[in-house]
Amino acid sequence: MSRTVLTVDDSKAIRDMVAFTLEPQGYRVIGAEHGADGLSKFRSEAVALVITDLNMPVMNGIEFIRELRADPKGAGVPVVMLTTESKPEMKAEGKAAGATGWISKPFDAAMLVAVAKKLAG
């Protein structure tokens, strides 16, 4: 199974922190700047896990998840929202779109590793 993680976030610092956290654990991390960029990379890579922000330019996280879930390749891939947004209604919208889980920023590195191991092996 692929141990590639796609991280979709308009913040380069967050993309870098996710890579810095997961790469030493044996994951290959690829980054995308927004949802449309993420879809393009998702369609061209074998991805085991997607970690996406909610608020991004071009295509936000909810739109990204809906598009990913509409693609047959995206049906079984876990998608975790990594965002500062914590309103219950936003979490419900993310879940309805197809999000597997939700992690709040700033994230705890050990928690992110545990989630990646659980969802991507």
Side-chain angles (χ1 to χ4, degrees):
M1 179 180 195
S2 164
R3 291 191 23 114
T4 298
V5 176
L6 170 62
T7 182
V8 185
D9 199 304
D10 56 320
S11 167
K12 183 179 182 326
I14 294 294
R15 293 192 311 269
D16 289 349
M17 286 173 33
V18 169
F20 180 79
T21 301
L22 295 179
E23 286 174 347
Q25 303 299 317
Y27 295 93
R28 176 176 167 253
V29 179
I30 54 176
E33 296 178 24
H34 49 72
D37 186 27
L39 281 175
S40 175
K41 289 182 177 172
F42 178 79
R43 290 176 175 145
S44 66
E45 298 275 349
V47 174
L49 172 64
V50 176
I51 299 171
T52 184
D53 190 14
L54 174 61
N55 298 308
M56 298 179 286
V58 183
M59 178 186 285
N60 72 33
I62 300 293
E63 295 165 334
F64 166 73
I65 293 171
R66 286 185 183 131
E67 291 290 323
L68 183 138
R69 292 298 187 216
D71 184 323
K73 183 180 174 190
V77 176
V79 178
V80 175
M81 300 288 302
L82 176 63
T83 181
T84 56
E85 182 64 63
S86 61
K87 293 179 187 163
E89 56 271 16
M90 290 308 300
K91 289 182 179 183
E93 188 176 352
K95 185 174 182 177
T100 309
W102 196 283
I103 298 175
S104 295
K105 291 178 187 173
F107 67 88
D108 176 75
M111 177 190 282
L112 186 64
V113 169
V115 167
K117 286 182 178 178
K118 181 177 180 180
L119 297 177

